[in-house]
Amino acid sequence: MGKLIRTTALAAATLLAATITAPTARAATFESSDKWATWSNGGYTVRNNVWGSGVGFQAIWANSYGNWGVWANHPNTGGVKSYPHSGKNIGRPLSRIGGISSSFDVTVPGGGAYTTTYDIWAQNHAYEIMVWTNKFGAVGPIGGYQTTATVGGHSWDVHRGSNGSNAVFSFVRRGNTNAGTVDLKAVLDWIRARGWYGDVTVGEVQFGFEITSSSGGMDFRSNSFSISNW
């Protein structure tokens, strides 16, 4: 009888342990540690995009275009190491776009150096529009400060410059947020109204994490993200 009781108790404990650990052990729909890994889902493309110099290790996972993340271990040195992101192509002139609205919800570490940012490409990569929703550590936008603007539902410090290949406009939110909705069409229209570009064709709208350092390994997660355009 004692042996039967011990066996039954052991089986119950084993079942309980399996129940507790199962959710964390479940594999994502897509996983890769390849620097240039890509995955298409629902009209979006998810990319690992480890493109900088002096990089460390980075692995990406995704269950959908909106629910994805990376574990990144990049050294504590300057320079952007990667921009893992999810992107959707628009492919229309600005004047023919009724609206572009995007919602996001992220979980980011309290260490390292990074930004959570939209990266919008226009006129065949002649223009790059970055919209920073949060930042941490030693990071800063390209170009000089121009003005402070309230547009697209948020207040931003606006910077304008060049990376040597294309013009860059950076909208740095005045106060970090990990969740919200941004009227991106309003941001693009604001730039056009200042005469900084004309009726450009909007290419891919991307959202992700521009990581400069994450020494020791850190998690960056997009809990949800989507783009509505019309």
Side-chain angles (χ1 to χ4, degrees):
M1 178 66 77
K3 182 177 180 181
L4 176 59
I5 292 173
R6 287 194 298 273
T7 302
T8 304
L10 179 61
T14 302
L15 178 60
L16 177 61
T19 302
I20 292 172
T21 59
T24 57
R26 188 176 301 141
T29 304
F30 168 74
E31 295 177 330
S32 179
S33 59
D34 185 275
K35 283 180 161 186
W36 307 109
T38 64
W39 182 61
S40 297
N41 174 254
Y44 296 71
T45 303
V46 179
R47 301 180 179 93
N48 202 23
N49 197 29
V50 183
W51 64 268
S53 60
V55 303
F57 176 83
Q58 181 174 300
I60 192 167
W61 59 267
N63 292 312
S64 70
Y65 62 81
N67 177 224
W68 61 274
V70 296
W71 186 87
N73 185 3
H74 296 299
N76 186 24
T77 55
V80 176
K81 309 299 190 302
S82 66
Y83 178 56
H85 63 265
S86 178
K88 181 181 183 181
N89 187 57
I90 305 300
R92 280 186 287 158
L94 190 54
S95 63
R96 292 178 53 201
I97 298 172
I100 306 172
S101 178
S102 180
S103 297
F104 64 92
D105 184 308
V106 300
T107 301
V108 289
Y114 62 85
T115 69
T116 302
T117 182
Y118 289 90
D119 203 359
I120 305 170
W121 296 96
Q123 206 63 19
N124 196 26
H125 290 76
Y127 301 99
E128 181 179 12
I129 302 92
M130 304 200 76
V131 181
W132 293 15
T133 58
N134 68 40
K135 59 186 174 66
F136 191 92
V139 294
I142 290 173
Y145 169 80
Q146 303 295 306
T147 187
T148 295
T150 299
V151 60
H154 306 263
S155 291
W156 320 90
D157 288 331
V158 183
H159 296 251
R160 181 186 184 190
S162 172
N163 62 15
S165 299
N166 49 260
V168 181
F169 309 113
S170 297
F171 289 71
V172 181
R173 193 177 191 276
R174 308 198 81 199
N176 287 340
T177 184
N178 290 338
T181 299
V182 184
D183 183 345
L184 296 173
K185 174 64 159 46
V187 172
L188 297 174
D189 285 339
W190 185 93
I191 299 171
R192 185 185 181 191
R194 293 184 73 88
W196 292 352
Y197 56 45
D199 188 17
V200 294
T201 296
V202 180
E204 191 164 83
V205 177
Q206 303 168 345
F207 176 78
F209 310 101
E210 194 172 64
I211 305 171
T212 293
S213 67
S214 54
S215 183
M218 298 178 186
D219 277 309
F220 299 79
R221 297 172 180 256
S222 170
N223 303 310
S224 63
F225 158 68
S226 63
I227 297 171
S228 298
N229 63 283
W230 58 94

